[in-house]
DNA sequence: ATGTCC
C-alpha cells in the first residue's frame, strides 16, 4: 500500500516540497514496508527534523522541512476602493476576486478593465499596484503574452486578389499547437545570463530553443487584415489611410508557463494567505525568490517579444517587403512604475494593456471583429491601463456546448474572414462586443486606427481543443 | 496559457 500526500498532511507535513520529496523517498527505500512503519519513520522526521539533516536517505526531506520560515499573512478587513470600467458587463466572480486583491496588505491601488472575467487569483483584466511585492498569479501563467502588429505598404485589396498566396504565407511561417519549426531561428536572447544563472530557467532552455517563433494555442493567433489609420502615428510617419497589416497574439510558451508554475509554488508555500486569497501569494522583491522571479519574468517577456519578431520577420520575407511600422505591447506582466509621489510601485497587469500617457498599444477584438490601435491617456484611476481585448462573455466549455459551427461559418463569411484552425471556443460570439468595451474605456485610450482581420490562423490542433 | 499532472 502506498502513502498519499493526504496521509503526510495528516501527520503534520506542511504543504510544499518536503511532502513530495518524502513521498518519493519513502516509496523508493521502504516500498515493501507496511504502511504503519512508513508513517512511523515520517512522523519521526517531522518531530525531530534536525536529527535527520545528515541522514543518508531523508536528509533532503529534513532540509526542505527546515527551509521556509512560513509567513502567515492576514487580509485587511475591508477592501481599498478601486475603479471599475464597464461594471455592468463584468461577471460577479471577477469583482469578488478584485475585492479580495484590494484587501492584501501589499496592495496600494487597483483597477478593473471592461473586458474583465474570472481567472486564478487576480481576474483577467485586473490591474494591481503593490509595494515591493510581486504576485506570480497577478502576472498570469502566460508571462509576457503580447500583441505585435506590423503595417505594410501593400494595398489591402490584395488580401482578396492573392488570398491563397497569403494563406500559404501564414501556413508556411507560423506554427500552432504542439508544432514547432524544424529549423528554429537563433536569437540573441539565448545568450542571456539568466539561461545559465537561474536553475529553473536553465532547465527550460532547450525547449525554449525548440519553441521560439511558434504561437501555441488557446486564443493565440497570427492574422492578416486591413488597418485603417484615422489619426496619424507620428512615431512612424504613418499617415491616415488604409494599409495591409499583420497582427499576432502569443506569449512565452513553455518557458513562461514553467517559470510561472515554479515561482507560484514558491510564493504559495512561503506566503500563506487565507483560502480565498491563496492564489494571490506574493514574493517580496528583496527576497532571493522575488529577485529570481523578476529576472525570469523579464526574460520570459523578452522571449515572447522575440517570438513575435521572428513571426513578423518570416512573414515580411514571405511578403518580400519590410514594414512601415511595428507596434507591440505586453498585457500579462508586472512593471516597476512610480506613484504620484515618485515612489516605486509594482504594477501587475493581468490581461490589461499599458496605457500611460502617449503609449501606443493594440487591443484586439475577436477572429472576425475589429481590433484597435490606441494611444494611452495616462489616467491615474486606471493605473495607466486599458483592456487587452473584448473579454470572454462565455466560458470555453459553454462556447463549445452552445455555439454551432454553422453559425460561426455564416459570421465569418459575412465579415469576409478566412479562418485556418480554431475551435468553437474562440468564436466571435464567445466574446463581448468590442465596440461596447471600447466605449467603456474612452477616458483611458485614444483610438488611432482599427484593424479588421481577413485571413486568420489559430490553433487547429484537436489535442488542444478537446472536442468532447 | 502549458508536451493541459510533480
Amino acid at each position: 500500500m502506498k502513502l498519499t500526500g493526504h496521509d503526510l498532511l495528516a501527520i503534520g507535513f506542511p504543504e510544499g516540497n518536503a511532502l513530495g520529496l518524502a513521498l518519493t523517498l519513502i516509496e523508493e527505500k521502504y516500498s515493501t514496508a507496511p504502511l504503519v512503519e512508513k508513517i512511523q519513520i515520517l512522523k519521526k522526521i517531522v518531530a525531530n527534523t534536525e536529527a535527520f539533516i545528515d541522514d543518508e536517505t531523508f536528509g533532503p526531506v529534513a532540509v526542505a522541512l527546515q527551509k521556509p520560515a512560513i509567513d502567515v499573512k492576514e487580509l485587511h478587513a475591508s477592501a481599498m476602493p478601486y475603479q471599475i470600467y464597464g461594471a455592468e458587463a463584468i461577471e460577479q466572480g471577477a469583482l469578488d476576486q478584485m475585492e479580495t486583491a484590494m484587501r492584501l496588505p501589499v496592495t496600494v491601488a487597483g483597477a478593473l478593465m471592461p473586458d474583465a472575467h474570472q481567472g486564478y487569483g487576480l481576474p483577467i483584466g485586473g490591474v494591481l499596484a503593490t509595494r515591493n511585492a510581486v504576485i506570480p498569479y497577478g502576472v498570469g501563467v502566460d508571462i509576457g503574452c503580447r500583441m505585435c502588429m506590423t503595417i505594410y505598404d501593400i494595398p489591402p485589396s490584395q488580401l482578396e486578389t492573392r488570398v491563397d498566396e497569403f494563406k500559404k504565407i501564414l501556413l508556411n511561417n507560423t506554427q500552432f499547437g504542439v508544432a514547432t519549426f524544424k529549423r528554429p531561428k537563433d536569437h540573441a536572447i539565448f545568450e542571456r545570463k539568466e539561461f545559465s544563472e537561474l536553475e529553473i530557467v536553465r532547465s527550460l532552455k532547450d525547449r525554449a530553443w525548440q519553441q521560439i517563433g511558434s504561437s501555441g494555442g488557446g486564443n493565440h493567433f497570427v492574422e492578416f487584415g486591413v488597418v485603417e489609420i484615422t489619426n496619424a502615428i507620428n512615431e512612424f510617419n504613418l499617415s491616415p489611410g488604409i494599409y495591409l497589416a499583420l497582427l499576432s497574439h502569443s506569449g512565452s510558451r513553455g518557458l513562461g508557463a514553467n517559470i510561472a508554475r515554479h515561482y507560484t509554488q514558491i510564493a504559495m508555500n512561503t506566503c500563506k494567505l487565507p483560502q480565498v486569497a491563496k492564489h494571490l501569494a506574493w514574493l517580496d522583491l528583496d527576497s532571493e525568490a522575488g529577485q529570481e522571479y523578476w529576472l525570469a519574468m523579464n526574460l520570459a517577456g523578452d522571449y515572447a517579444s522575440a517570438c513575435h519578431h521572428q513571426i513578423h520577420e518570416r512573414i515580411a520575407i514571405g511578403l518580400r517587403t519590410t514594414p512601415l511600422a511595428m507596434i507591440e505591447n505586453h498585457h500579462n506582466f508586472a512593471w516597476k512604475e512610480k506613484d504620484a509621489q515618485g515612489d516605486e510601485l509594482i504594477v501587475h497587469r493581468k490581461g490589461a494593456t499599458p496605457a500611460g500617457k502617449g503609449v501606443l498599444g493594440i487591443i484586439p477584438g475577436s477572429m472576425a471583429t475589429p481590433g484597435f490601435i490606441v494611444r494611452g491617456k495616462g489616467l491615474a484611476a486606471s493605473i495607466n491601463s486599458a483592456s487587452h481585448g473584448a473579454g470572454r462573455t462565455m466560458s470555453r466549455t459553454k462556447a463549445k456546448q452552445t455555439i454551432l459551427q454553422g453559425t460561426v461559418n455564416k459570421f465569418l463569411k459575412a465579415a469576409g474572414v478566412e479562418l485556418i484552425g480554431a475551435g468553437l471556443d474562440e468564436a466571435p460570439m464567445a466574446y463581448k462586443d468590442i465596440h461596447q468595451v471600447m466605449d467603456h474605456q474612452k477616458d483611458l485610450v485614444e483610438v488611432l486606427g482599427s484593424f479588421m482581420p481577413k485571413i486568420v490562423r489559430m490553433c487547429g490542433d484537436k489535442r488542444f481543443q478537446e472536442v468532447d
Side-chain angles (χ1 to χ4, degrees):
Chain A
M1 192 74 167
K2 275 192 177 182
L3 280 174
T4 66
H6 213 80
D7 297 327
L8 270 63
L9 288 170
I11 60 171
F13 264 83
E15 286 194 47
N17 296 338
L19 190 150
L21 215 48
L23 270 181
T24 311
L25 292 173
I26 197 90
E27 295 303 341
E28 249 174 44
K29 304 282 175 180
Y30 293 85
S31 57
T32 56
L35 212 53
V36 275
E37 193 186 328
K38 294 180 189 173
I39 287 178
Q40 261 177 358
I41 294 165
L42 295 179
K43 267 185 172 170
K44 272 189 206 160
I45 302 174
V46 175
N48 196 3
T49 305
E50 256 178 57
F52 284 86
I53 292 291
D54 296 319
D55 189 276
E56 211 172 296
T57 306
F58 294 107
V61 177
V63 170
L65 276 172
Q66 279 199 329
K67 229 187 210 167
I70 288 173
D71 207 351
V72 181
K73 312 284 188 184
E74 280 181 25
L75 297 179
H76 289 155
S78 61
M80 289 182 70
Y82 67 98
Q83 192 67 47
I84 308 172
Y85 297 89
E88 62 270 28
I90 298 177
E91 63 190 14
Q92 190 58 43
L95 298 171
D96 293 344
Q97 288 186 320
M98 199 64 209
E99 192 83 2
T100 302
M102 297 311 295
R103 292 173 57 197
L104 293 179
V106 292
T107 293
V108 176
L112 201 54
M113 301 300 115
D115 60 338
H117 52 98
Q118 199 172 336
Y120 266 103
L122 197 65
I124 319 301
V127 182
L128 195 73
T130 57
R131 200 78 80 189
N132 200 40
V134 64
I135 303 169
Y137 264 137
V139 168
V141 177
D142 191 3
I143 298 171
C145 186
R146 58 166 32 211
M147 304 304 304
C148 182
M149 180 187 283
T150 42
I151 300 174
Y152 296 90
D153 188 15
I154 294 175
S157 57
Q158 291 194 8
L159 288 170
E160 287 168 36
T161 55
R162 296 167 63 195
V163 57
D164 290 336
E165 208 179 318
F166 281 98
K167 275 169 108 168
K168 208 168 171 189
I169 289 173
L170 274 184
L171 283 165
N172 290 343
N173 295 291
T174 66
Q175 296 287 2
F176 281 81
V178 292
T180 54
F181 287 99
K182 276 193 191 123
R183 209 177 148 276
K185 280 181 197 270
D186 196 5
H187 193 282
I189 195 155
F190 295 115
E191 289 157 28
R192 287 271 287 270
K193 62 178 175 21
E194 292 87 338
F195 275 117
S196 51
E197 291 179 0
L198 299 174
E199 198 188 324
I200 174 73
V201 176
R202 193 188 315 144
S203 74
L204 300 168
K205 187 176 182 179
D206 287 350
R207 208 198 316 168
W209 163 261
Q210 276 303 316
Q211 292 184 327
I212 193 161
S214 66
S215 296
N219 56 3
H220 291 173
F221 60 76
V222 181
E223 59 196 25
F224 283 115
V226 183
V227 153
E228 182 178 1
I229 301 292
T230 48
N231 296 29
I233 304 179
N234 295 329
E235 287 91 330
F236 306 105
N237 292 315
L238 203 63
S239 318
I242 296 177
Y243 302 84
L244 184 145
L246 182 80
L247 180 62
S248 54
H249 175 212
S250 53
S252 50
R253 311 290 283 106
L255 176 66
N258 284 284
I259 289 169
R261 175 165 27 212
H262 180 79
Y263 288 100
T264 292
Q265 266 170 11
I266 293 177
M268 286 174 49
N269 286 337
T270 55
C271 174
K272 291 287 179 187
L273 285 159
Q275 186 66 18
V276 66
K278 70 171 181 181
H279 289 126
L280 292 168
W282 67 83
L283 300 168
D284 281 327
L285 270 187
D286 39 26
S287 71
E288 197 182 334
Q291 289 178 8
E292 281 184 18
Y293 176 76
W294 196 261
L295 291 172
M297 177 195 75
N298 274 284
L299 180 76
D302 292 342
Y303 175 82
S305 174
C307 286
H308 282 267
H309 289 174
Q310 289 198 346
I311 292 167
H312 287 254
E313 188 187 337
R314 278 195 168 90
I315 289 183
I317 291 169
L319 292 170
R320 294 189 180 81
T321 186
T322 51
L324 300 170
M326 179 186 267
I327 304 170
E328 53 187 325
N329 66 268
H330 291 325
H331 51 220
N332 280 11
F333 211 63
W335 288 263
K336 288 181 178 172
E337 296 179 9
K338 302 265 195 239
D339 66 12
Q341 286 72 46
D343 292 330
E344 188 176 273
L345 296 174
I346 303 303
V347 177
H348 304 74
R349 294 189 181 87
K350 184 184 191 179
T353 304
K357 194 166 179 53
V359 175
L360 291 174
I362 312 272
I363 300 176
S366 71
M367 57 167 73
T369 55
F372 297 91
I373 303 170
V374 298
R375 193 185 287 288
K377 293 188 176 180
L379 193 75
S382 77
I383 317 181
N384 296 321
S385 308
S387 88
H388 82 313
R392 299 194 72 88
T393 185
M394 221 183 264
S395 71
R396 291 186 180 279
T397 316
K398 193 183 167 195
K400 282 185 283 194
Q401 284 167 351
T402 61
I403 300 172
L404 299 172
Q405 190 63 58
T407 316
V408 178
N409 293 348
K410 269 184 214 155
F411 195 106
L412 293 173
K413 200 168 180 196
V417 172
E418 287 271 347
L419 177 65
I420 307 166
L424 291 168
D425 48 343
E426 284 300 323
M429 40 294 268
Y431 284 89
K432 291 183 191 175
D433 180 346
I434 185 69
H435 300 287
Q436 271 176 28
V437 169
M438 295 308 292
D439 205 51
H440 287 133
Q441 51 189 349
K442 275 186 172 159
D443 294 344
L444 314 188
V445 287
E446 174 195 7
V447 172
L448 304 180
S450 63
F451 171 91
M452 182 59 210
K454 287 294 167 191
I455 306 175
V456 179
R457 186 173 186 196
M458 298 189 81
C459 180
D461 192 327
K462 293 285 183 264
R463 275 174 287 188
F464 284 82
Q465 289 172 9
E466 295 167 45
V467 180
D468 42 330

